[in-house]
Amino acid sequence: MLEGCKTAQERWGGVHEIIDRWLEQRRQMIESLLFLRERGEFTPTDTPKILNLCEMLVDYVSTGHFTVYEQLAIEAKEFHDNGAIILLGELLPEIDNTTEVVIEFNDKYDTKEHCNTQLEALPFSLQALTVVLAERFQYEDRLIRELHEAHSEKSA
């Protein structure tokens, strides 16, 4: 019995570590976004910071889609949690919609040339991105809360 508990803790504890690292990525991305939003007006000297934000956005979104959501789906299936599977089915399309906005932002600002020709529009793009990310974070937090945390309690 203790061995089974240890195995579950090791298995789902790894998911917890993945989520923790991902949420740390989120925190750093938000800090970068807020720093840029506070700037107001931009010049070509801001380009490296904008490119860094683009990289952080793509990394964050990719980790979510290709690691975190996948692990949450595996958890739901292994715990035979049909409610969690349904929730994933409901929230992932909503998250996908926000991903499209993130990718559009990245495509608009992902190179030095793109940045420098779009600097005037950047404050508006950052504002729109902030709104979409806030919506995305609500969906993601709900997935974590209702899937992983519920399964963590069951495996304890």
Side-chain angles (χ1 to χ4, degrees), residues 11-70:
R11 172 144 180 106
W12 304 121
V15 174
H16 187 71
E17 289 173 19
I18 289 168
I19 292 171
D20 284 347
R21 283 193 305 270
W22 184 56
L23 293 176
E24 177 58 23
Q25 270 185 308
R26 180 198 285 186
R27 186 192 61 75
Q28 292 172 4
M29 181 183 62
I30 290 170
E31 286 177 358
S32 179
L33 175 63
L34 293 178
F35 174 80
L36 286 171
R37 280 198 49 205
E38 290 173 4
R39 294 267 308 132
E41 292 186 25
F42 297 94
T43 67
T45 60
D46 296 309
T47 299
K49 290 178 179 83
I50 299 163
L51 295 175
N52 184 55
L53 175 63
C54 286
E55 185 178 321
M56 294 171 87
L57 286 163
V58 170
D59 288 348
Y60 178 81
V61 167
S62 296
T63 300
H65 282 286
F66 300 115
T67 305
V68 176
Y69 310 149
E70 187 175 295

Side-chain angles (χ1 to χ4, degrees), residues 1 5 10 15 19 32 41-42 50 53 64 67 71 84 107 114 116-117 127 133 147:
M1 184 171 176
C5 206
E10 288 170 358
V15 174
I19 292 171
S32 179
E41 292 186 25
F42 297 94
I50 299 163
L53 175 63
T67 305
Q71 288 299 313
D107 290 348
H114 289 161
N116 292 339
T117 60
Q127 177 59 33
L133 287 175
L147 276 71

Side-chain angles (χ1 to χ4, degrees), residues 65 69 85-100 135-136 139 143:
H65 282 286
Y69 310 149
I85 293 168
I86 291 169
L87 182 63
L88 275 165
E90 291 172 3
L91 294 182
L92 287 181
E94 299 294 337
I95 291 170
D96 287 344
N97 291 336
T98 68
T99 299
E100 290 176 24
E135 181 181 324
R136 179 188 189 96
Y139 297 137
L143 284 176

